Amino acid sequence: MRTTRSRRRRRTALALLTVLGLVAVVSTASAYYLGRRLVAPIERIDGVFAGLEDRPSKPTTGPAAKAINILLLGTDRRSDEPTTGDLARAAAWVPGAQRSDAMLLVHIDGDREGATVVSLPRDSWVEVPGHGHTKINAAYSYGGPSLAVATVEELTGVRIDHLAVIDWDGIRALTDELGGVTVTVPETVHDSARDVTWTAGEHRLTGQAALDYVGQRFGLPGGDLDRASRQQNFLRTLMVDTLGRLQDSGPWGVYELLGVMTRHLSIDSGWSTKDMARLAWSLRDLDESAVSFLTVPVAGLGWEGPQSVVHLDLVAGRRLWEAVRADRLAPWLRANPQARLGETVR
């Protein structure tokens, strides 16, 4: 029993790090060694936090002082060459050329006993510094990684410690390299934008099918909200499915897996190899039940001029972000169990 529980905890810690494209290890010595080996190829993004003004302060005392907040972006840049990862041949950001197609805030508790992934729907109607109210995904288009960070910080009051970016070509290649991901579609739906019909039942997603799955909005009752849930479900399933196959492979099997991950991810240049390895080691005992996926509270869908948008519930959202800043998400989740991503996703 103890061995089984230990394996579950180790898989869960590795699962969270898969989302981040980081390092995961089983001893202090290998943490340093594999950390250097794995992080070195990652494409770095310079100047993410340079010039940002009026940033939220980071707590200096209590458990929140050790909490870590990471902004994970998926971008929709159309390019013949990779834009993220160590194979990047094109710029990750060109003004007006792309928006953030997925935006997730990953909060890792200060005591490393819990973690929460909060999805911000791409059509959320928010204030983008210097550009007025618009969809949150426009921030990346207008000002790149820095403006995306500034927008999230202004909305949430949460200080972002690090940034990770992956383009959808990276997701496609990553899914293929990992051998595909299995998801369950509860009922048959048709995506009119892509002319793809998803029949009810299990689907083994290869790269292009994965893009079709996480990108669907038309044909889903909740539109952009259901798309955000699909993106979270894909990441959750990717973690469980892939790492479940590697549960007995040992640290070198994990090394090979994460080597694949790092080929497609870009991170802020201030995130050092040493800090990554330390984070990985600190999460070695994270329990599976302590990793939560949810979407920011939403008031409803609506229109702003000709644009279909998601209106956020600012009051409920304020309570959520207060819990994030105070590193007290566990009680917030107990009081709001409906906020968690369910097992059934459209």
Side-chain angles (χ1 to χ4, degrees):
M1 176 68 71
R2 182 174 296 176
T3 299
T4 300
R5 185 176 300 145
S6 175
R7 285 178 177 172
R8 281 186 65 196
R9 287 179 175 176
R10 190 161 61 246
R11 287 201 307 271
T12 304
L14 297 178
L16 178 62
L17 294 178
T18 299
V19 175
L20 307 178
L22 301 180
V23 294
V25 289
V26 294
S27 72
T28 303
S30 59
Y32 179 73
Y33 176 69
L34 289 183
R36 292 187 64 185
R37 291 286 302 275
L38 287 171
V39 177
I42 297 181
E43 179 73 8
R44 303 284 179 157
I45 305 174
D46 294 325
V48 171
F49 303 103
L52 296 185
E53 300 177 351
D54 300 322
R55 300 188 66 197
S57 59
K58 187 173 180 66
T60 57
T61 60
K66 295 183 178 180
I68 296 176
N69 297 301
I70 302 156
L71 184 61
L72 176 64
L73 301 179
T75 68
D76 62 358
R77 170 81 186 279
R78 270 55 172 178
S79 173
D80 295 331
E81 301 286 349
T83 66
T84 62
D86 74 324
L87 299 177
R89 299 292 181 270
W93 172 66
V94 174
Q98 72 283 292
R99 296 190 171 202
S100 54
D101 207 48
M103 182 175 285
L104 304 127
L105 194 155
V106 182
H107 175 85
I108 301 174
D109 292 357
D111 60 11
R112 303 299 186 262
E113 293 184 2
T116 306
V117 182
V118 185
S119 177
L120 297 159
R122 59 170 285 170
D123 289 346
S124 300
W125 191 251
V126 302
E127 178 79 20
V128 174
H131 298 273
H133 276 83
T134 186
K135 293 183 180 182
I136 197 169
N137 65 341
Y140 191 85
S141 178
Y142 293 146
S146 292
L147 187 57
V149 168
T151 299
V152 172
E153 289 189 338
E154 181 166 304
L155 172 67
T156 65
V158 174
R159 188 180 180 92
I160 302 301
D161 298 299
H162 295 292
L163 175 78
V165 181
I166 186 169
D167 62 19
W168 288 119
D169 283 340
I171 289 289
R172 176 170 54 196
L174 176 61
T175 306
D176 281 336
E177 289 185 51
L178 294 175
V181 174
T182 299
V183 298
T184 299
V185 176
E187 59 186 50
T188 299
V189 292
H190 180 70
D191 183 351
S192 59
R194 295 172 176 80
D195 193 24
V196 174
T197 297
W198 294 94
T199 57
E202 285 193 350
H203 293 260
R204 187 69 180 174
L205 305 181
T206 56
Q208 184 56 51
L211 288 185
D212 291 339
Y213 175 78
V214 300
Q216 181 175 359
R217 175 179 60 175
F218 296 101
L220 296 177
D224 194 46
L225 298 180
D226 285 340
R227 172 165 54 186
S229 294
R230 279 194 168 196
Q231 291 168 354
Q232 287 194 323
N233 188 51
F234 175 81
L235 291 175
R236 178 177 64 181
T237 307
L238 174 68
M239 294 186 300
V240 174
D241 191 36
T242 302
L243 292 166
R245 299 197 302 266
L246 291 174
Q247 60 181 300
D248 295 318
S249 64
W252 292 109
V254 174
Y255 164 75
E256 293 177 0
L257 168 66
L258 292 173
V260 172
M261 298 289 174
T262 58
R263 285 202 290 273
H264 304 290
L265 191 79
S266 299
I267 64 168
D268 68 90
S269 57
W271 205 350
S272 71
T273 298
K274 185 177 180 180
D275 286 344
M276 288 182 180
R278 284 177 173 172
L279 175 61
W281 181 243
S282 72
L283 291 169
R284 65 192 180 279
D285 292 326
L286 187 65
D287 190 79
E288 181 178 346
S289 63
V291 181
S292 302
F293 287 81
L294 60 138
T295 298
V296 64
V298 169
L301 304 177
W303 294 87
E304 293 291 340
Q307 300 183 82
S308 173
V309 303
V310 174
H311 290 296
L312 302 182
D313 185 334
L314 298 180
V315 174
R318 189 176 303 117
R319 298 191 187 102
L320 167 62
W321 302 127
E322 287 172 354
V324 173
R325 292 194 298 272
D327 195 30
R328 291 185 51 80
L329 273 162
W332 187 90
L333 285 165
R334 285 195 295 271
N336 298 273
Q338 76 287 350
R340 293 178 187 266
L341 181 69
E343 292 299 318
T344 301
V345 176
R346 292 192 181 101

